[in-house]
Amino acid sequence: MSPSPTAWMPAPVNPNMSPSPTAWMPVLVKDLCNPDVVATIAKRKDYSPRLSISPEPEDPWPEGYETPGPDPPEVIAERNETEAKEAYNTLIQMGGRPTGSIRPIPPWERYVDLGDLCYRYAEKEETLFYSQWHGTKPDSAASSTEAGYIAGHWINERKRCSEELRRWQGFLSAQQWRREHCPEFLREEDIERQRYPHDPHLTASLKKWKDWKEYRTYFQRGIDRCNERIEGARRSVEAIQRKDPELVLNKGKLRGYYDSDWLDFIESQREWVAAEEKLLKWVKQQLPAILSECATLLMGVLTSLCEMELRSELEAKGVFNTLVETGGRPTRPIRPVTKRQEHDYTDEHLHVLCHWEGECSQFEEELREWKKFLDYRQKKEADERTGVQLEGQQSTDITTQVELWKDFRAYRQLEVENAKQWVEFWQRQLEDFRDREDRCVRQGQTEVAYRLHSKAKDARSYVKEAQKQVRPAEVQLKWAEEQLSALITENAVSVTEVSIFDHLEDQAKLPKRASRSSQTALKNLRSNR
């Protein structure tokens, strides 16, 4: 008979002795409802109950009881199909958008694996939503039977729909947290609801559009945070491989991990970022479809359509102005709405909405990059500040536009250097893997050599990917240098104009010199005196 699950409480001790913190006695969880037991526990301040599940019956396996076997494939397929459809419908009801409809059983193909006939997908379909931590990485649904193949397909569909629902629920939870902790966010939502009290369709369309734009930002923030973790992991690997003095005491570990552990972490995060970037691209592509749905909903009310066009225009111009007011320089001026081409069969109102959404997305991306620089600059200044400054000293710390863009050029230069460091980093890992592989081959360690060969192959591909990131960083640096030069020229011209204007003002204030005749008259007057 298996023992009953228990909680733990202090064992009774001699009252003449001090209580021992390690003296424990088992107590059933159901006994914690007994007031005497609770009172005994309350007397011990150092007691922290570790509760378990309710006690099992004394004889959980009666005579003649048979352990149930696994469900047949037909039952597994039916259960997963039901769960997939429930998750799919729940996502739509909560305002989300599935990446695709639920796929019926796709065609399969037969193949021979080790002499056995198996079934698998005839055509591989890429799944956008993927999270290795939640077990949603799609598999091939291969099986040795037709029923097993069908069950595997519905398991994949259930994973996909559940993951899409989980992501949308996570976004809604983040929204709710902002409502509770950010009063300005809640105030903006209240203003939006009260702006059009007699037009619920317009209010619903604007909320749908805003929510999806926030969903895009939600994914972008996750990617940015993951890239920061990857940067930190790279620095950890470099510190270990440099054999910094403080690591000698930790036996070559940094924060409890070897360099191989950090490299595995980097590879897993890179895979996750690649999947997230594909999903982010899909999220961005859904905005025109959402605007089309909003235009269709408001098609019967011209004033509502015009109001939504105005809101989208103000949104784009507001982002543009925010970028300028914070010291940034947009890559181009904002463009007016152009006429539709002859081959463009979209509605006129949808054409206007899509135009302003494109403008807004362009400057939102530039504003996001500029804010990243401002955050970096603020953190750098805080780290370099020594001692506490007085409020008067802080108020006089005014940064000119030229100084700001000099810092921005230095920031872009750091990005170029960082991109080159990634190339050098993976080149070092590639050489290390090759050297270790050669040693293992000479020592006859075939399995280890094969694993290192695979790692070297991956590192070679990472070198190529890192090399592709250098050129875009250099282009951004060149553009920053051009903007800085233009800004210095503009300031020099304005300073020259101001100095000339001041000189003319000074000349106007000086007294005019008297004429020769008046000077002679003044001399005669003085001599007469």
Side-chain angles (χ1 to χ4, degrees):
M1 183 174 64
S2 61
S4 300
T6 59
W8 293 88
M9 67 171 291
V13 295
N14 189 338
N16 298 324
M17 299 174 58
S18 60
S20 171
T22 57
W24 303 95
M25 67 171 289
V27 156
L28 291 176
V29 175
K30 65 181 181 64
D31 293 337
L32 292 177
C33 299
N34 189 334
D36 297 333
V37 175
V38 176
T40 304
I41 294 173
K43 293 178 181 179
R44 290 292 300 271
K45 297 181 179 180
D46 58 346
Y47 174 66
S48 177
R50 297 187 291 271
L51 303 181
S52 60
I53 60 175
S54 302
E56 299 176 359
E58 294 185 359
D59 190 4
W61 312 112
E63 185 178 356
Y65 180 83
E66 296 182 359
T67 303
D71 293 334
E74 294 80 7
V75 175
I76 296 175
E78 182 179 359
R79 181 173 63 248
N80 281 274
E81 180 181 1
T82 302
E83 293 177 0
K85 292 179 179 179
E86 288 178 354
Y88 180 88
N89 295 329
T90 303
L91 175 62
I92 295 176
Q93 292 170 2
M94 296 178 69
R97 296 178 71 86
T99 57
S101 58
I102 294 181
R103 296 183 300 166
I105 302 173
W108 62 79
E109 64 180 6
R110 298 180 177 87
Y111 69 102
V112 178
D113 183 20
L114 300 177
D116 296 330
L117 184 64
C118 298
Y119 298 81
R120 65 184 177 190
Y121 286 137
E123 296 180 359
K124 184 178 179 180
E125 182 171 346
E126 183 181 15
T127 302
L128 287 175
F129 278 82
Y130 155 63
S131 173
Q132 56 187 343
W133 293 285
H134 291 83
T136 57
K137 188 174 182 178
D139 51 38
S140 60
S143 176
S144 58
T145 62
E146 181 179 334
Y149 162 80
I150 296 174
H153 164 72
W154 287 116
I155 289 174
N156 281 343
E157 287 298 289
R158 189 259 306 166
K159 287 181 179 180
R160 177 180 67 86
C161 295
S162 299
E163 176 65 9
E164 294 178 11
L165 176 60
R166 186 191 68 81
R167 293 294 188 93
W168 185 252
Q169 288 174 334
F171 162 68
L172 295 181
S173 298
Q175 260 193 344
Q176 183 61 30
W177 185 92
R178 292 182 64 190
R179 293 189 186 99
E180 295 174 355
H181 297 83
C182 302
E184 63 277 3
F185 179 76
L186 184 59
R187 186 163 53 251
E188 289 177 3
E189 283 197 334
D190 292 339
I191 293 174
E192 285 296 327
R193 283 193 296 267
Q194 299 171 8
R195 192 185 299 272
Y196 310 105
H198 304 296
D199 198 341
H201 293 301
L202 177 58
T203 303
S205 298
L206 290 171
K207 177 172 174 48
K208 186 176 185 179
W209 174 50
K210 289 278 190 179
D211 282 351
W212 199 256
K213 288 169 71 70
E214 290 182 13
Y215 193 46
R216 177 187 62 187
T217 306
Y218 173 76
F219 274 98
Q220 186 63 63
R221 282 199 300 264
I223 293 174
D224 292 341
R225 286 193 297 266
C226 188
N227 286 328
E228 292 176 0
R229 291 194 293 267
I230 293 175
E231 288 288 342
R234 189 199 73 184
R235 290 191 291 269
S236 299
V237 173
E238 292 174 340
I240 294 174
Q241 294 179 350
R242 282 196 310 265
K243 298 181 180 180
D244 288 351
E246 63 270 15
L247 299 177
V248 176
L249 299 176
N250 297 324
K251 299 180 181 180
K253 293 183 179 181
L254 184 62
R255 286 182 284 173
Y257 297 100
Y258 294 104
D259 57 342
S260 58
D261 301 323
W262 287 112
L263 284 171
D264 292 340
F265 175 78
I266 291 175
E267 292 184 10
S268 65
Q269 294 291 292
R270 284 172 56 89
E271 184 181 2
W272 186 85
V273 167
E276 291 295 288
E277 287 177 344
K278 288 182 180 179
L279 177 57
L280 178 61
K281 182 179 179 181
W282 175 83
V283 171
K284 292 178 179 179
Q285 291 172 347
Q286 297 305 302
L287 277 170
I290 290 176
L291 290 174
S292 176
E293 295 171 5
C294 294
T296 302
L297 180 63
L298 303 175
M299 189 61 68
V301 186
L302 183 60
T303 55
S304 299
L305 270 174
C306 294
E307 186 66 30
M308 188 161 184
E309 291 176 9
L310 178 62
R311 288 296 304 277
S312 60
E313 179 181 356
L314 294 176
E315 180 86 9
K317 292 181 177 179
V319 174
F320 182 90
N321 294 332
T322 302
L323 177 59
V324 175
E325 291 168 0
T326 54
R329 294 173 71 92
T331 56
R332 59 173 176 80
I334 197 165
R335 297 170 180 170
V337 180
T338 58
K339 293 184 178 180
R340 289 182 301 164
Q341 302 296 327
E342 294 182 357
H343 61 274
D344 188 359
Y345 297 101
T346 59
D347 178 72
E348 178 67 28
H349 298 286
L350 178 59
H351 172 74
V352 174
L353 291 173
C354 289
H355 167 80
W356 290 120
E357 176 53 39
E359 293 294 293
C360 188
S361 299
Q362 167 74 23
F363 298 117
E364 279 178 341
E365 182 64 23
E366 296 180 14
L367 180 60
R368 185 181 69 86
E369 289 293 328
W370 182 251
K371 285 184 176 180
K372 283 174 61 177
F373 156 69
L374 294 179
D375 293 340
Y376 160 81
R377 187 174 184 272
Q378 183 178 6
K379 183 177 182 300
K380 183 172 178 292
E381 290 178 350
D383 293 341
E384 293 177 351
R385 187 179 298 121
T386 56
V388 179
Q389 295 182 342
L390 298 176
E391 293 183 1
Q393 293 175 339
Q394 291 179 352
S395 62
T396 58
D397 185 15
I398 302 175
T399 303
T400 64
Q401 189 82 348
V402 175
E403 292 173 349
L404 187 65
W405 271 82
K406 285 181 178 179
D407 291 344
F408 185 62
R409 179 186 60 183
Y411 173 75
R412 289 301 191 192
Q413 181 64 48
L414 284 177
E415 288 189 336
V416 173
E417 294 175 359
N418 186 62
K420 294 179 179 179
Q421 288 174 4
W422 271 108
V423 176
E424 297 171 357
F425 172 79
W426 285 118
Q427 287 175 343
R428 287 195 300 270
Q429 307 312 314
L430 176 59
E431 294 175 0
D432 180 64
F433 289 141
R434 285 174 173 173
D435 294 341
R436 292 164 58 188
E437 179 188 357
D438 293 340
R439 288 197 302 268
C440 290
V441 169
R442 290 194 298 268
Q443 297 173 1
Q445 300 177 1
T446 309
E447 294 183 0
V448 180
Y450 178 78
R451 186 168 64 252
L452 291 171
H453 178 77
S454 177
K455 287 183 174 295
K457 183 179 179 181
D458 293 339
R460 191 182 302 109
S461 65
Y462 297 154
V463 170
K464 294 180 180 179
E465 292 179 12
Q467 289 172 343
K468 294 179 182 178
Q469 301 302 319
V470 175
R471 180 57 183 166
E474 291 176 342
V475 171
Q476 294 288 345
L477 173 61
K478 183 179 179 181
W479 181 81
E481 291 176 343
E482 292 173 352
Q483 297 301 310
L484 177 60
S485 300
L487 191 58
I488 293 175
T489 304
E490 292 172 5
N491 283 2
V493 171
S494 61
V495 168
T496 303
E497 291 176 352
V498 169
S499 61
I500 293 174
F501 179 75
D502 292 342
H503 178 69
L504 293 175
E505 280 190 341
D506 294 339
Q507 289 292 332
K509 292 178 182 178
L510 290 175
K512 294 183 178 180
R513 186 176 180 179
S515 62
R516 184 176 300 272
S517 60
S518 62
Q519 289 179 3
T520 305
L522 183 59
K523 184 184 297 184
N524 296 333
L525 180 61
R526 287 174 180 171
S527 62
N528 294 333
R529 287 180 181 177

